[in-house]
Amino acid sequence: MTPFDLTPDHRRQLFDELLPQLEAYYTHTRDRRVAPKLDPQRVRDVVGQFDFSRAVPAGEAVDFVVNNLLEYQVHVPHPMYYGLYNPRTNFPSILADLIAAYFNPQLAAWSHSPFAAEVERYLIREYGKRFGYGESTIDGTFTSGGAEANLTGILCALNHRFPTFANRGYRAFGDAGPVIYCSDQAHHSVVKAARVVGLGLDSVVQLPTDAGLRLSLPALRKRLTADRAAGREVVMVIATAGTTGTASIDDLPAIAEACAEHDVWFHVDAAFGGAAVLHQDYRAWLRGIERADSIITDIHKWLSVPMGTGMFLTRHPDILDRTFRTTAEYMPREGSTLSIVDPYTHTIQWSRRFLGLRMYLSLLVFGWQGYAETIRHHVDLGNYLRERLTARGWIIENDTPLPVVCFSRPGTNDAGAFARSVCQRIVDFGEAWLSVYPVRGVDTLRAGITNYASTPEDIDRLVDLLDAAV
């Protein structure tokens, strides 16, 4: 037996030692300090104490990793973590990662992992239907997250606008100056994607937002008209359904109408807010999203699965193939006579982890209804936090139905400095974690709720900590 396998008895021993540690963390996360004391040199010394010149006993190595993750990490699964979109993972999705690691399916060629490939195709169709796409037109792919999904959207829009782009690259543009529109609240992965595909930063037009921090429709229409008159080629408009900072939802029906009038690709970044379609009462928040040419949503942002689980959807069933299809002599050909899709022909990635299992296994265990109830729980907690803050004299600075609350304290001399100071005190207390985000140019405190284990009592404690930090 190769030493890389370890023996069956040794593997069982490692599991017997590891699983109780993981279960203790999972069960008692709230008993830990949320954020570590930050000491970069100390962490570097810990990591670098092994030079790999000798093998470390497996049990010792595993204990070392677990103990240092316990010590040096912001514990995003903590019910009092109110930071970015990093939810506590549900247990079936954890098991999914373990299963995927054991079987290590290769999701490049359909013939190598037909079950895994069809699981992901099925989820793409089911999600597409919930966003309002017609079943016969739905296509898409799992991604590593919103950044890859937005990059995919830009590439699809370019190939749609310039049919020779896949072959000729930037030469397909001719004298046209391609531009992309988004709001000044859009995710910065849009800017990065424009740089990656060779359009450059100047191609991204960040339009102003209105009083509700939504993309300004007058500004959009004015710019569309002006750029067309100037001979520029408007490639796409990117709307956001749940911005990263304030969770604002752009006016999707109005943007869809403007895009239709000007024949422009309409892309919706619903990385966070897209989960709202899983609850019947909240689908109206995303009205108009069914008119989008493409949609992205991150399963890992609100739906309690491990990081690195994104999704790109489109109602143009040919565009991913036109954008990414390539041939390689070394790829398996067993499925060449079958009515199937090789995943590598529809994505930037080639070899890829079985990401869809995280959601599939979770849905098998909890169903759509279980997710709907969890989403309602988060929305209710967001509303409860707004009520408790308002009752204590805080001002809510953002307008969104999603469970993200930006807030400030009236009567302070320097509101931004005050917010940063209070945030740091909260983090230093160790009981909770908040972030700071600028609303209309002034830093505010920001609390996001995506943890299914958070309770009204946790909200009460957060409000008490805020009062203590003032």
Side-chain angles (χ1 to χ4, degrees):
M1 177 178 292
T2 171
F4 258 53
D5 268 344
L6 306 181
T7 66
D9 286 343
H10 196 180
R11 294 197 298 267
R12 280 193 294 269
Q13 178 187 350
L14 289 171
F15 265 129
D16 288 344
E17 294 172 355
L18 174 62
L19 290 179
Q21 297 178 68
L22 297 180
E23 180 60 21
Y25 174 70
Y26 199 70
T27 304
H28 303 291
T29 311
R30 69 164 57 247
D31 297 337
R32 304 197 67 83
R33 178 187 175 90
V34 181
K37 299 289 187 181
L38 299 181
D39 184 346
Q41 190 55 53
R42 170 61 181 158
V43 178
R44 292 175 190 133
D45 289 343
V46 168
V47 171
Q49 64 184 279
F50 300 104
D51 64 4
F52 312 122
S53 60
R54 68 173 184 86
V56 176
E60 179 184 331
V62 170
D63 287 346
F64 171 79
V65 170
V66 171
N67 290 335
N68 282 293
L69 283 173
L70 289 171
E71 184 70 19
Y72 301 111
Q73 177 172 303
V74 174
H75 294 292
V76 296
H78 198 291
M80 293 283 282
Y81 174 82
Y82 302 105
L84 307 178
Y85 302 124
N86 301 313
R88 174 181 172 88
T89 51
N90 68 62
F91 196 66
S93 70
I94 293 172
L95 294 179
D97 257 10
L98 180 63
I99 294 168
Y102 261 85
F103 284 89
N104 201 27
Q106 166 57 282
L107 259 75
W110 185 95
S111 62
H112 268 41
S113 301
F115 174 77
E118 287 303 318
V119 161
E120 295 199 348
R121 295 289 296 170
Y122 177 67
L123 288 173
I124 291 291
R125 289 195 300 271
E126 290 303 305
Y127 260 86
K129 288 190 291 185
R130 277 162 176 75
F131 280 114
Y133 282 171
E135 185 171 2
S136 63
T137 68
I138 300 168
D139 199 6
T141 182
F142 274 82
T143 69
S144 58
E148 182 192 337
N150 276 330
L151 176 58
T152 299
I154 290 175
L155 286 167
C156 286
L158 284 168
N159 278 282
H160 177 77
R161 175 61 64 184
F162 303 100
T164 63
F165 175 70
N167 290 329
R168 303 187 68 233
Y170 70 90
R171 291 172 297 173
F173 303 151
D175 295 330
V179 290
I180 296 168
Y181 297 160
C182 63
S183 84
D184 58 18
Q185 298 295 306
H187 195 270
H188 289 85
S189 61
V190 173
V191 175
K192 183 181 287 188
R195 178 184 286 170
V196 169
V197 301
L199 294 179
L201 302 183
D202 292 344
S203 69
V204 180
V205 177
Q206 294 182 309
L207 298 168
T209 48
D210 60 20
L213 301 172
R214 295 175 289 267
L215 190 153
S216 168
L217 266 300
L220 172 62
R221 288 187 171 277
K222 180 179 179 180
R223 188 63 189 252
L224 274 168
T225 301
D227 278 345
R228 280 290 171 81
R232 297 186 183 92
E233 195 69 61
V234 182
V235 174
M236 67 193 305
V237 175
I238 300 175
T240 309
T243 55
T244 303
T246 64
S248 300
I249 301 173
D250 289 337
D251 188 341
L252 304 182
I255 297 172
E257 193 62 31
C259 289
E261 291 173 10
H262 290 268
D263 190 26
V264 172
W265 186 279
F266 177 34
H267 175 80
V268 178
D269 181 342
F272 173 54
V277 299
L278 301 189
H279 196 295
Q280 187 168 348
D281 293 350
Y282 307 148
R283 288 180 185 174
W285 299 347
L286 303 183
R287 186 173 60 88
I289 200 168
E290 71 282 355
R291 298 180 64 183
D293 294 286
S294 54
I295 303 167
I296 75 163
T297 189
D298 275 355
I299 312 302
H300 66 231
K301 277 190 167 60
W302 196 359
L303 299 180
S304 309
V305 304
M307 294 298 296
T309 316
M311 188 183 288
F312 173 85
L313 301 165
T314 179
R315 59 181 175 86
H316 297 272
D318 66 326
I319 193 63
L320 283 171
D321 188 82
R322 288 200 286 122
T323 300
F324 295 115
R325 174 169 287 280
T326 187
T327 58
E329 294 301 320
Y330 52 79
M331 290 303 293
R333 302 180 186 181
E334 299 96 318
S336 59
T337 61
L338 303 175
S339 178
I340 54 92
V341 173
D342 283 322
Y344 82 94
T345 67
H346 275 211
T347 178
I348 294 169
Q349 299 183 58
W350 205 282
S351 302
R352 180 170 61 71
R353 188 175 179 84
F354 185 10
L355 301 175
L357 184 59
R358 300 164 176 176
M359 190 63 188
Y360 188 72
L361 192 56
S362 299
L363 282 167
L364 287 176
V365 175
F366 301 119
W368 294 115
Q369 184 58 34
Y371 267 108
E373 291 170 0
T374 300
I375 289 169
R376 178 178 285 280
H377 173 65
H378 293 142
V379 170
D380 288 347
L381 284 184
N383 291 331
Y384 182 63
L385 176 57
R386 292 182 186 97
E387 294 170 4
R388 297 288 288 116
L389 288 171
T390 302
R392 294 286 185 94
W394 297 86
I395 296 175
I396 308 303
E397 298 286 0
N398 63 326
D399 178 16
T400 181
L402 300 172
V404 173
V405 185
C406 296
F407 55 101
S408 64
R409 192 79 168 185
T412 57
N413 292 328
D414 185 335
F418 174 82
R420 293 188 294 274
S421 175
V422 170
C423 181
Q424 190 59 55
R425 289 194 192 104
I426 294 292
V427 173
D428 289 344
F429 288 160
E431 290 188 51
W433 200 94
L434 289 177
S435 59
V436 171
Y437 186 78
V439 176
R440 302 176 192 91
V442 179
D443 279 346
T444 67
L445 290 157
R446 178 190 178 281
I449 301 168
T450 57
N451 190 325
Y452 60 82
S454 299
T455 65
E457 290 73 25
D458 292 319
I459 298 297
D460 290 338
R461 181 55 182 159
L462 173 62
V463 174
D464 288 342
L465 288 171
L466 286 164
D467 285 347
V470 171

